[in-house]
């Protein structure tokens, strides 16, 4: 009997949310996870003194309603990202401090300021017009999809500083260079997460809150309730389907039969499985064109968050790498002091080739540049190179390269027989975020429920 | 003993050329081919009356010296592509006829003509400056790689007709929209194959000659000499390596051990194999970013090449699809009459989703539009959708999306331990062509020879 047996591939937030929804609906569910842990692109780390730190996705913010509900349902709690003090902005070699409330703007010369304000307004106006479920139907979709975001920036911003600001924002949001992605995708993505200000903001933005104990608690709590339905260290290799069932083969050679399967892997990994019959060309060619971003997330640990005494909130944004964006990721207690930084896009790609020792030193040098000599001697250094992770192959998420939304968009969520697609990249709302992953998992599960015998 | 045992994955032109070179050097070679035939992206077809037609790559032209040598070495012969009569050019709804000699220009209005001439000159000047082995070192490489070819076209051509001409050329050369690829890649690619005029030309161009009996004869002749070293219907699933050897596992579960392995699969397929240890991130993220082009190659067969009597050479180039480019692919005898057409880029993607009957009718409608009512009733219709081919997943070749040459270029040919990469996409010279495949196979084989024990 495979009538109500659903196989979910991937125990990240999308897969676990889908499984939870299916179980609630009475389905018989098996979740197959390649890693020896759940959480996917969220992962729990821990400092030497036992403080939890997130090695992957970590923040929630306003309008991510499903995440806040889920956190509450699971008995978890949030706390605000540390945001007291001033943010450092380094553009063109000049450092300025900026109040950290939303809507604050860096102290730039009047020309740059006007340029940036106009560029942001233009971006948000165009972004708001992109239909979230069908971005390819936006006005001028072909035109916007036919250019890189870099081309858009050059056309719509006139000052070096204004352009630099947009480029840093792009790297921070996509872990990709503005040269890498379609302008239409950048506009879609911002609309999907409300607007550009929300994506880059802390208070009332996408970085507003953290989860007590770490974001991995969400996946762990769902997995605990699913119990033995979740099978770790079980990478999937192949999916076959016929008129009566779907058969999933693991790398260990085990075959698991079901009625439907939900694939929640990032697009580039979903495209690597073997399928019998082979997937239709539009689906295959789509996943050839959705590369994962490039990021190394890293931590320096200090006895105290010393920067706070200097009136700094631990946040920096700079056009000089390899770390261009930092955050104070200390626990609610404030001890130890935890500085977090990202090596993103070309910085991440370049530094992934270097030794751990070199990378550690480069990171510390950046922290010293931002926060002074107090950053020179961390008690501990932690990092996660998401590009090197065999079962992610990049973070935060996939981006649409130019031409892809308009040529292949409809294939993104289109089921192939008994195979259904979910994941952060599939969500019209909060695409690429934990919120998008959960929404996509639940939406797809609801659809699959209607197909069960 | 695995000291001189080399495993070659893929029996296309690159893999077979590599194997041939290795055998000549005394190595013990096994070629593993997923399909039940050799040739990869070249494939032999046949009409009802037994006339050979190429379902994949077919032409050779000047400066493809290795191909002409190889054809002679194998005892094969070439014959000129039919090029007598006039070429049809349809741009903006207007049809003109053009002499088919090289350097001929379509009869356009003077503004369009001047624009096109200037655009071609600009393109060829910039193209000639791109270093073939290291395109990322070109002047303004970051700028050129940061924009789509569509953006380049809009910046460098002013007239609707001039732009349309470049777009049709792009589709014909890359089976991709100009929106899909990096401007730097377009420039590199043209330089790799001499220049733009050569890539689109017949006489003295890349479409100058055909191989008697079909291009598949080359692969078949090499494979025949390799004998039992070539194993068909043996798709590879996984490559493991350690200090002493490399182990290749097939989908049938067989493990073949060797000293070195040459992977000749198109980038997107090479990236899908399992590797132990996992590939370095720069290689994996590169193959996430090299999608295959989109093309359906199709044939309509007639008792005679009736268009010749109308003074036409069977070649059309149009900005109206779904077939925008056609050729007279009749055999040297001239009977039967064979019209060949491509549905490329977005046309191919759209029409791949339609029924065979619809596609056949759309193709015939295009042939009638170009060559008159005589094309309305072919005796036969043949097609190959290369996007749907599980072991190619697109043709003609891969293209570099924006930002990829400058961020990942050095990873293209960089060996990973005992794993070496070859294929048309790896060649600095005639990248993407049969010539590039053979050159890459032989170059890589020569390199591997130096490593054998």
């Amino acid at each position: 009997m495979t009538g109500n047996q659903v196989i979910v591939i991937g125990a990240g937030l999308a897969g676990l949310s889908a499984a939870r929804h299916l179980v609630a609906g009475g389905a018989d569910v098996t979740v197959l996870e390649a890693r020896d842990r759940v959480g996917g692109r969220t992962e729990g780390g821990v400092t030497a003194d036992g403080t939890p730190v997130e090695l992957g996705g970590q923040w929630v913010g306003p309008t991510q309603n499903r995440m806040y509900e889920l956190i509450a349902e699971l008995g978890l709690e949030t706390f605000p990202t540390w945001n007291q003090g001033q943010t450092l902005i380094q553009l063109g070699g000049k450092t300025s401090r900026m109040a950290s409330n939303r809507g604050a703007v860096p102290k730039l010369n009047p020309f740059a300021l006007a340029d940036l304000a106009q560029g942001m307004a233009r971006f948000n106006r165009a972004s708001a017009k992109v239909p979230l479920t069908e971005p390819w139907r936006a006005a001028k979709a072909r035109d916007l999809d036919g250019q890189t975001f870099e081309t858009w920036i050059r056309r719509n911003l006139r000052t070096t500083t204004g352009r630099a600001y947009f480029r840093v924002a792009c790297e921070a949001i996509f872990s990709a260079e503005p040269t890498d992605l379609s302008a239409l995708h950048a506009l879609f993505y911002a609309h999907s997460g409300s607007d550009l200000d929300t994506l880059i903001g802390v208070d009332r933005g996408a970085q507003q809150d953290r989860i007590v104990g770490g974001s991995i608690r969400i996946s762990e709590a769902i997995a605990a309730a699913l119990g033995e339905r979740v099978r770790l260290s079980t990478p999937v290799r192949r999916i076959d389907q016929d008129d009566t069932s779907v058969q999933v083969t693991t790398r260990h050679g085990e075959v698991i039969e079901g009625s439907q399967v939900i694939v929640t892997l990032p697009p580039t990994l979903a495209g690597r499985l073997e399928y019998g019959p082979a997937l239709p060309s539009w689906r295959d060619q789509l996943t050839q064109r959705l590369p994962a971003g490039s990021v190394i997330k890293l931590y320096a640990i200090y006895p105290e968050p010393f920067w706070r005494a200097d009136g700094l909130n631990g946040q920096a944004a700079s056009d000089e790498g390899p770390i261009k964006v930092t955050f104070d990721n200390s626990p609610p207690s404030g001890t130890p002091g935890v500085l977090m930084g990202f090596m993103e896009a070309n910085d991440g790609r370049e530094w992934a080739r270097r030794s751990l020792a070199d990378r550690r030193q480069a990171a510390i040098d950046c922290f010293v540049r931002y926060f002074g000599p107090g950053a020179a001697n961390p008690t501990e250094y932690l990092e996660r190179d998401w590009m090197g992770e065999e079962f992610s192959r990049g973070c935060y998420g996939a981006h649409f390269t130019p031409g892809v939304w308009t040529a292949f968009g409809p294939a993104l969520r289109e089921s192939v027989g008994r195979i259904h697609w979910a994941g952060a990249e599939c969500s019209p709302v909060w695409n690429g975020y934990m919120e998008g992953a959960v929404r996509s998992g639940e939406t797809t599960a609801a659809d699959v429920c209607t197909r069960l015998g």
Side-chain angles (χ1 to χ4, degrees), chain A residues 394-414:
Chain A
C395 269
Y396 319 113
H399 53 266
F400 280 64
T401 53
V404 179
W405 266 122
T406 45
F408 296 98
L412 180 64
R413 288 184 292 272
E414 193 179 323

Side-chain angles (χ1 to χ4, degrees), chain A residues 383-396:
Chain A
E383 62 168 32
R384 173 66 76 238
D385 170 6
W386 285 95
M387 298 168 279
E389 290 281 297
E390 185 182 4
F391 297 119
S392 294
R393 280 306 187 188
C395 269
Y396 319 113

